[in-house]
Amino acid sequence: MTSRDPYGSLAPHIPADDYRRAQATGQPVVIVVHTTDRTGRPLSAYLYPLAVAGAGAIGVFATVAAFLALLDTAVHTAVQIAAATGPVSIGGLSLKLFGSKR
């Protein structure tokens, strides 16, 4: 197996004399393949928690932004209503709700 071959796609080589002896005697051929265990944790063990934490942070950020946009809209609405109101009069008494002190 060369370094360009994908891992695990080819069977290991059996020498011809061992193969002929196994055919002649009927003994099984035992093939031992040495592999090394991966050291460390796989990348997915780090990516999934980071993805969940990132999604949670984006969700909290979006909730705060939506609350601030709602608060901004409420303040603008209150200011426009206050600017649109004129003096309120009841039975000859007028009262200006919002306006300058001058």
Side-chain angles (χ1 to χ4, degrees), residues 22-60:
Q23 276 189 331
T25 62
Q27 290 179 330
V29 176
V30 177
I31 300 171
V32 178
V33 178
H34 296 282
T35 60
T36 58
D37 292 333
R38 288 192 294 175
T39 58
R41 296 174 63 180
L43 187 60
S44 62
Y46 297 107
L47 288 181
Y48 292 138
L50 284 176
V52 170
I58 290 172
V60 168

Side-chain angles (χ1 to χ4, degrees), residues 50-68:
L50 284 176
V52 170
I58 290 172
V60 168
F61 180 75
T63 302
V64 169
F67 175 71
L68 292 176

Side-chain angles (χ1 to χ4, degrees), residues 1 11 14 17 20 22 25 37 40-41 43 47 49 65 68-69 74 76 80 82 84-85 88:
M1 185 157 79
I14 303 171
D17 55 343
R20 287 190 197 104
T25 62
D37 292 333
R41 296 174 63 180
L43 187 60
L47 288 181
L68 292 176
H76 280 282
Q80 287 181 358
T85 58
V88 177

